[in-house]
Amino acid sequence: MTKAPPVNIAIFASGAGSNAKKIIDYFRNDSRIKVALIVSDQPNAGVLQIAREENLPILELQKERFFNGDAYLPEFIQFNISFIVLAGFMRKIPGKLIAAYTRKIVNIHPALLPGFGGKGMYGSRVHEAVLKAGEKESGITIHYVDEVYDKGEVIFQEKCKIEEGETADTLANKIHIIEHACYPEVIEKVILEQFI
Ligand code: GRF
């Protein structure tokens, strides 16, 4: 019997790519799930350096074609991409891509949605807003992506306590650790449920 080909995933990132790196490491020797493409809208994003070191194919997005053209669907078909993982991707996902990958795109948000999400809520802004609101806890949310920012169905949440003297920086570090620990496993679980 021939072995089933792996489920190919594309990781979209605009920044440092520390989550992308954890996901690449996690699936490195997995015969069922393969990181097949790294996608970015930022030519200087750290994630592209990671992709080069890992010898992974890169797709650099041009805004015009992404939003007003074919949304790069031909490339995603060419790379046989079945699932898309957003890991710090700062742009909205065009309707064409959402239609082609319904319930096949996931995102990670560094707070407990539905609170502290939506347009403009990213990076340290999220943690500052959480602290300003006097919250006692924050955390991470992994959710499906639809047309509305941070509104898709929640798949997974993990909480952390906010300590006395917590700053946006200390909270960001805490949350990054939780993201790194949880995101690859949740991606694996969703893909196994959907495809394997
Ligand atoms: C993460 O905190 C994630 O929640 C948010 O963007 C950040 C990306 O960080 N969506 P990194 O580039 O993976 O380090």
Side-chain angles (χ1 to χ4, degrees):
M1 215 173 81
T2 49
K3 249 173 84 188
V7 174
N8 281 347
I9 68 177
I11 303 178
F12 285 40
S14 305
S18 69
N19 279 284
K21 173 78 173 112
K22 291 287 170 189
I23 297 163
I24 294 165
D25 287 343
Y26 189 84
F27 292 115
R28 192 179 299 284
N29 298 313
D30 198 315
S31 58
R32 306 155 307 166
I33 299 167
K34 181 179 166 194
V35 176
L37 185 64
I38 301 295
V39 180
S40 187
D41 59 318
Q42 296 296 325
N44 299 318
V47 72
L48 294 180
Q49 188 50 35
I50 294 171
R52 282 181 214 110
E53 283 161 15
E54 298 282 348
N55 270 319
L56 286 170
I58 290 172
L59 175 63
E60 291 194 50
L61 302 175
Q62 302 302 323
K63 214 171 145 191
E64 183 57 29
R65 184 174 164 204
F66 192 49
F67 290 108
N68 301 322
D70 60 12
Y72 291 85
L73 274 174
E75 278 80 350
F76 298 124
I77 292 165
Q78 180 201 332
F79 282 98
N80 210 2
I81 300 300
S82 302
F83 198 83
I84 293 175
V85 171
L86 310 185
F89 186 64
M90 304 299 285
R91 299 219 184 256
K92 213 165 174 238
I93 300 299
K96 268 188 189 149
L97 211 49
I98 289 173
Y101 288 93
T102 305
R103 285 177 79 81
K104 303 273 184 296
I105 310 178
V106 294
N107 181 42
I108 189 162
H109 186 77
L112 297 171
L113 293 174
F116 308 102
K119 200 167 163 49
M121 283 300 247
Y122 58 85
S124 59
R125 291 190 196 185
V126 177
H127 308 305
E128 277 156 15
V130 168
L131 294 176
K132 201 169 166 209
E135 297 292 324
K136 297 278 170 282
E137 53 188 20
S138 189
I140 68 161
T141 304
I142 298 168
H143 62 95
Y144 288 111
V145 174
D146 60 19
E147 287 84 354
V148 190
Y149 262 120
D150 297 333
K151 287 283 188 220
E153 185 192 325
V154 171
I155 301 167
F156 175 91
Q157 290 188 307
E158 177 86 9
K159 292 177 179 170
C160 65
K161 277 212 171 73
I162 293 179
E163 316 283 344
E164 273 293 307
E166 194 90 64
T167 65
D169 279 351
T170 60
L171 187 53
N173 287 337
K174 235 188 227 181
I175 284 185
H176 250 122
I177 291 168
I178 303 171
E179 290 184 333
H180 295 163
C182 298
Y183 205 14
E185 281 184 27
V186 173
I187 293 164
E188 179 182 36
K189 192 163 175 281
V190 170
I191 293 177
L192 293 185
E193 276 170 13
Q194 287 202 21
F195 294 92
I196 298 171

